[in-house]
């Protein structure tokens, strides 16, 4: 999830305020990401075969190229439109912070900053969005404290999942449980399978290496734990929506 990212590379496009009553809207083919803070909301987002509810003080991340329908009785929100260079997902993500007031303040500040358009408003707005991402990262880290049964396994994953020798069986063995039971506990804690978690981790790291511009794609594949470049390319496209070469072209041109 973008809420779990330690760093996010981005370019802000716009910051908007909406106050709407009963509305049903279909959003499609958007080529930018959106991060929203709903001050007041009674909203349902439908996409593919999923349905997400957004209420007061909820935060949502809406990635580019994901079509969805917004059905709302009330939507009073601040929305940041931006392009992310280091994170992509095919899923809409939601977060319900316990300390909602600090996010209300930060989103209000970035809206005011963007609308005033002082001489350094783009830099100042970027600093505020970085602050928002920083708080989201810290709050999500707190909410994902290790399960005592699998903490050694998670530590192993974080320290070794970029290595070619990495295996989920070894990760499970670190907690002295079967791989099947480990997968069950992991999904209960993080909402995705450990295999998908590792893929997401590797591909996000690969995207950051592409942005850095120091390595060829074959080298990046190897640095992310892949023995086969074709396998790496398939998983990259599935996660990011474009192939590694297309991602490189889009970023550097």
């Amino acid at each position: 999830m973008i809420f779990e990212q330690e760093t996010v590379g981005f370019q802000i496009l716009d910051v908007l305020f909406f106050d709407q009553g009963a509305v049903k809207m279909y959003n499609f083919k958007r080529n930018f990401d959106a991060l929203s803070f709903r001050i007041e909301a009674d909203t349902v987002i439908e996409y593919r075969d999923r349905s997400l509810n957004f209420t007061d003080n909820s935060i949502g991340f809406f990635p580019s190229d994901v079509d969805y329908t917004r059905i709302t009785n009330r939507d009073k929100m601040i929305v940041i439109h931006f392009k992310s260079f280091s994170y992509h997902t095919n899923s809409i993500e939601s977060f319900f912070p316990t300390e909602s007031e600090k996010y209300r303040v930060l989103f209000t500040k970035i809206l005011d900053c963007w609308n005033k358009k002082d001489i350094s408003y783009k830099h100042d707005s970027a600093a505020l969005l970085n602050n928002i991402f920083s708080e989201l990262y810290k709050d999500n880290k707190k909410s994902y404290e290790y399960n005592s049964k699998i903490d050694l396994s998670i530590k192993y994953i974080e320290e070794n999942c970029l290595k070619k020798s990495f295996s989920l069986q070894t990760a499970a063995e670190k907690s002295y449980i079967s791989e099947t039971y480990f997968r069950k506990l992991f999904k209960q804690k993080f909402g995705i399978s450990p295999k998908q978690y590792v893929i997401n981790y590797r591909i996000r790291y690969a995207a950051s290496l592409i942005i850095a511009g120091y390595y060829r794609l074959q080298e990046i594949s190897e640095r992310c734990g892949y023995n086969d470049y074709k396998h790496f390319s398939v998983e990259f496209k599935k996660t990011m929506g474009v192939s590694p070469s297309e991602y490189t072209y889009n970023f550097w041109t």
Side-chain angles (χ1 to χ4, degrees), residues 3-18:
F3 309 122
E4 300 168 13
Q5 305 307 303
E6 190 169 3
T7 58
V8 180
F10 59 83
Q11 176 190 4
I12 300 180
L13 304 175
D14 208 350
V15 184
L16 304 166
F17 174 76
F18 293 96

PDB file of all heavy atoms in Angstrom, residues 3-18:
ATOM      1  N   PHE A   3       0.354   3.763   1.670  1.00  0.00           N
ATOM      2  CA  PHE A   3       0.432   4.221   3.049  1.00  0.00           C
ATOM      3  C   PHE A   3       1.594   3.574   3.807  1.00  0.00           C
ATOM      4  O   PHE A   3       1.956   4.023   4.891  1.00  0.00           O
ATOM      5  CB  PHE A   3      -0.875   3.916   3.786  1.00  0.00           C
ATOM      6  CG  PHE A   3      -2.097   4.398   3.058  1.00  0.00           C
ATOM      7  CD1 PHE A   3      -3.095   3.521   2.704  1.00  0.00           C
ATOM      8  CD2 PHE A   3      -2.232   5.734   2.712  1.00  0.00           C
ATOM      9  CE1 PHE A   3      -4.224   3.963   2.020  1.00  0.00           C
ATOM     10  CE2 PHE A   3      -3.347   6.188   2.030  1.00  0.00           C
ATOM     11  CZ  PHE A   3      -4.347   5.302   1.685  1.00  0.00           C
ATOM     12  N   GLU A   4       2.168   2.514   3.244  1.00  0.00           N
ATOM     13  CA  GLU A   4       3.271   1.811   3.892  1.00  0.00           C
ATOM     14  C   GLU A   4       4.619   2.157   3.274  1.00  0.00           C
ATOM     15  O   GLU A   4       5.639   1.598   3.664  1.00  0.00           O
ATOM     16  CB  GLU A   4       3.051   0.299   3.790  1.00  0.00           C
ATOM     17  CG  GLU A   4       1.762  -0.169   4.441  1.00  0.00           C
ATOM     18  CD  GLU A   4       1.425  -1.604   4.070  1.00  0.00           C
ATOM     19  OE1 GLU A   4       2.286  -2.303   3.515  1.00  0.00           O
ATOM     20  OE2 GLU A   4       0.279  -2.010   4.321  1.00  0.00           O
ATOM     21  N   GLN A   5       4.647   3.092   2.300  1.00  0.00           N
ATOM     22  CA  GLN A   5       5.888   3.422   1.608  1.00  0.00           C
ATOM     23  C   GLN A   5       6.732   4.391   2.436  1.00  0.00           C
ATOM     24  O   GLN A   5       6.247   5.418   2.897  1.00  0.00           O
ATOM     25  CB  GLN A   5       5.605   4.045   0.247  1.00  0.00           C
ATOM     26  CG  GLN A   5       4.727   3.198  -0.642  1.00  0.00           C
ATOM     27  CD  GLN A   5       5.259   1.786  -0.780  1.00  0.00           C
ATOM     28  OE1 GLN A   5       6.387   1.569  -1.202  1.00  0.00           O
ATOM     29  NE2 GLN A   5       4.433   0.831  -0.414  1.00  0.00           N
ATOM     30  N   GLU A   6       8.004   4.038   2.597  1.00  0.00           N
ATOM     31  CA  GLU A   6       8.904   4.918   3.348  1.00  0.00           C
ATOM     32  C   GLU A   6       9.214   6.185   2.551  1.00  0.00           C
ATOM     33  O   GLU A   6       9.375   7.264   3.115  1.00  0.00           O
ATOM     34  CB  GLU A   6      10.196   4.176   3.675  1.00  0.00           C
ATOM     35  CG  GLU A   6      11.089   4.904   4.658  1.00  0.00           C
ATOM     36  CD  GLU A   6      12.215   4.023   5.169  1.00  0.00           C
ATOM     37  OE1 GLU A   6      12.336   2.869   4.725  1.00  0.00           O
ATOM     38  OE2 GLU A   6      12.976   4.504   6.020  1.00  0.00           O
ATOM     39  N   THR A   7       9.305   6.069   1.227  1.00  0.00           N
ATOM     40  CA  THR A   7       9.505   7.223   0.361  1.00  0.00           C
ATOM     41  C   THR A   7       8.608   7.078  -0.867  1.00  0.00           C
ATOM     42  O   THR A   7       8.365   5.967  -1.335  1.00  0.00           O
ATOM     43  CB  THR A   7      10.966   7.346  -0.109  1.00  0.00           C
ATOM     44  OG1 THR A   7      11.334   6.137  -0.802  1.00  0.00           O
ATOM     45  CG2 THR A   7      11.905   7.557   1.063  1.00  0.00           C
ATOM     46  N   VAL A   8       8.129   8.201  -1.377  1.00  0.00           N
ATOM     47  CA  VAL A   8       7.313   8.217  -2.592  1.00  0.00           C
ATOM     48  C   VAL A   8       7.797   9.363  -3.475  1.00  0.00           C
ATOM     49  O   VAL A   8       7.837  10.511  -3.038  1.00  0.00           O
ATOM     50  CB  VAL A   8       5.808   8.414  -2.272  1.00  0.00           C
ATOM     51  CG1 VAL A   8       4.991   8.434  -3.560  1.00  0.00           C
ATOM     52  CG2 VAL A   8       5.306   7.328  -1.332  1.00  0.00           C
ATOM     53  N   GLY A   9       8.190   9.041  -4.700  1.00  0.00           N
ATOM     54  CA  GLY A   9       8.567  10.077  -5.650  1.00  0.00           C
ATOM     55  C   GLY A   9       7.333  10.538  -6.414  1.00  0.00           C
ATOM     56  O   GLY A   9       6.559   9.711  -6.892  1.00  0.00           O
ATOM     57  N   PHE A  10       7.121  11.862  -6.542  1.00  0.00           N
ATOM     58  CA  PHE A  10       5.881  12.340  -7.129  1.00  0.00           C
ATOM     59  C   PHE A  10       6.044  13.730  -7.747  1.00  0.00           C
ATOM     60  O   PHE A  10       7.014  14.449  -7.482  1.00  0.00           O
ATOM     61  CB  PHE A  10       4.782  12.411  -6.057  1.00  0.00           C
ATOM     62  CG  PHE A  10       5.133  13.317  -4.904  1.00  0.00           C
ATOM     63  CD1 PHE A  10       4.940  14.697  -4.984  1.00  0.00           C
ATOM     64  CD2 PHE A  10       5.671  12.807  -3.737  1.00  0.00           C
ATOM     65  CE1 PHE A  10       5.269  15.530  -3.925  1.00  0.00           C
ATOM     66  CE2 PHE A  10       6.007  13.624  -2.676  1.00  0.00           C
ATOM     67  CZ  PHE A  10       5.810  14.999  -2.766  1.00  0.00           C
ATOM     68  N   GLN A  11       5.060  14.085  -8.558  1.00  0.00           N
ATOM     69  CA  GLN A  11       4.903  15.438  -9.086  1.00  0.00           C
ATOM     70  C   GLN A  11       3.454  15.841  -8.865  1.00  0.00           C
ATOM     71  O   GLN A  11       2.536  15.200  -9.369  1.00  0.00           O
ATOM     72  CB  GLN A  11       5.235  15.504 -10.576  1.00  0.00           C
ATOM     73  CG  GLN A  11       4.987  16.879 -11.189  1.00  0.00           C
ATOM     74  CD  GLN A  11       5.075  16.874 -12.705  1.00  0.00           C
ATOM     75  OE1 GLN A  11       5.255  15.820 -13.316  1.00  0.00           O
ATOM     76  NE2 GLN A  11       4.939  18.033 -13.322  1.00  0.00           N
ATOM     77  N   ILE A  12       3.217  16.919  -8.101  1.00  0.00           N
ATOM     78  CA  ILE A  12       1.852  17.367  -7.838  1.00  0.00           C
ATOM     79  C   ILE A  12       1.292  18.069  -9.079  1.00  0.00           C
ATOM     80  O   ILE A  12       1.956  18.913  -9.688  1.00  0.00           O
ATOM     81  CB  ILE A  12       1.802  18.322  -6.633  1.00  0.00           C
ATOM     82  CG1 ILE A  12       2.313  17.627  -5.375  1.00  0.00           C
ATOM     83  CG2 ILE A  12       0.364  18.812  -6.399  1.00  0.00           C
ATOM     84  CD1 ILE A  12       2.303  18.514  -4.138  1.00  0.00           C
ATOM     85  N   LEU A  13       0.055  17.717  -9.417  1.00  0.00           N
ATOM     86  CA  LEU A  13      -0.618  18.318 -10.564  1.00  0.00           C
ATOM     87  C   LEU A  13      -1.672  19.332 -10.143  1.00  0.00           C
ATOM     88  O   LEU A  13      -1.855  20.365 -10.799  1.00  0.00           O
ATOM     89  CB  LEU A  13      -1.277  17.228 -11.412  1.00  0.00           C
ATOM     90  CG  LEU A  13      -0.360  16.112 -11.923  1.00  0.00           C
ATOM     91  CD1 LEU A  13      -1.179  15.057 -12.647  1.00  0.00           C
ATOM     92  CD2 LEU A  13       0.730  16.683 -12.828  1.00  0.00           C
ATOM     93  N   ASP A  14      -2.377  19.039  -9.055  1.00  0.00           N
ATOM     94  CA  ASP A  14      -3.440  19.939  -8.611  1.00  0.00           C
ATOM     95  C   ASP A  14      -3.876  19.545  -7.204  1.00  0.00           C
ATOM     96  O   ASP A  14      -3.678  18.399  -6.779  1.00  0.00           O
ATOM     97  CB  ASP A  14      -4.636  19.858  -9.562  1.00  0.00           C
ATOM     98  CG  ASP A  14      -5.446  21.151  -9.616  1.00  0.00           C
ATOM     99  OD1 ASP A  14      -5.184  22.042  -8.778  1.00  0.00           O
ATOM    100  OD2 ASP A  14      -6.309  21.263 -10.490  1.00  0.00           O
ATOM    101  N   VAL A  15      -4.466  20.495  -6.481  1.00  0.00           N
ATOM    102  CA  VAL A  15      -5.075  20.231  -5.178  1.00  0.00           C
ATOM    103  C   VAL A  15      -6.456  20.870  -5.203  1.00  0.00           C
ATOM    104  O   VAL A  15      -6.588  22.067  -5.492  1.00  0.00           O
ATOM    105  CB  VAL A  15      -4.241  20.803  -4.023  1.00  0.00           C
ATOM    106  CG1 VAL A  15      -4.879  20.419  -2.683  1.00  0.00           C
ATOM    107  CG2 VAL A  15      -2.799  20.304  -4.072  1.00  0.00           C
ATOM    108  N   LEU A  16      -7.483  20.073  -4.919  1.00  0.00           N
ATOM    109  CA  LEU A  16      -8.858  20.527  -5.110  1.00  0.00           C
ATOM    110  C   LEU A  16      -9.709  20.280  -3.870  1.00  0.00           C
ATOM    111  O   LEU A  16      -9.416  19.387  -3.062  1.00  0.00           O
ATOM    112  CB  LEU A  16      -9.491  19.785  -6.294  1.00  0.00           C
ATOM    113  CG  LEU A  16      -8.748  19.878  -7.631  1.00  0.00           C
ATOM    114  CD1 LEU A  16      -9.301  18.833  -8.593  1.00  0.00           C
ATOM    115  CD2 LEU A  16      -8.889  21.270  -8.219  1.00  0.00           C
ATOM    116  N   PHE A  17     -10.776  21.077  -3.751  1.00  0.00           N
ATOM    117  CA  PHE A  17     -11.761  20.887  -2.679  1.00  0.00           C
ATOM    118  C   PHE A  17     -13.112  20.591  -3.317  1.00  0.00           C
ATOM    119  O   PHE A  17     -13.526  21.263  -4.269  1.00  0.00           O
ATOM    120  CB  PHE A  17     -11.866  22.144  -1.817  1.00  0.00           C
ATOM    121  CG  PHE A  17     -12.969  22.079  -0.790  1.00  0.00           C
ATOM    122  CD1 PHE A  17     -12.823  21.321   0.358  1.00  0.00           C
ATOM    123  CD2 PHE A  17     -14.156  22.770  -0.995  1.00  0.00           C
ATOM    124  CE1 PHE A  17     -13.845  21.248   1.300  1.00  0.00           C
ATOM    125  CE2 PHE A  17     -15.180  22.711  -0.066  1.00  0.00           C
ATOM    126  CZ  PHE A  17     -15.023  21.953   1.081  1.00  0.00           C
ATOM    127  N   PHE A  18     -13.788  19.552  -2.807  1.00  0.00           N
ATOM    128  CA  PHE A  18     -15.107  19.192  -3.302  1.00  0.00           C
ATOM    129  C   PHE A  18     -16.094  19.147  -2.133  1.00  0.00           C
ATOM    130  O   PHE A  18     -15.765  18.668  -1.045  1.00  0.00           O
ATOM    131  CB  PHE A  18     -15.097  17.817  -3.973  1.00  0.00           C
ATOM    132  CG  PHE A  18     -14.302  17.752  -5.240  1.00  0.00           C
ATOM    133  CD1 PHE A  18     -12.987  17.307  -5.222  1.00  0.00           C
ATOM    134  CD2 PHE A  18     -14.859  18.131  -6.443  1.00  0.00           C
ATOM    135  CE1 PHE A  18     -12.244  17.241  -6.392  1.00  0.00           C
ATOM    136  CE2 PHE A  18     -14.128  18.071  -7.625  1.00  0.00           C
ATOM    137  CZ  PHE A  18     -12.813  17.623  -7.596  1.00  0.00           C
TER     138      PHE A  18
END
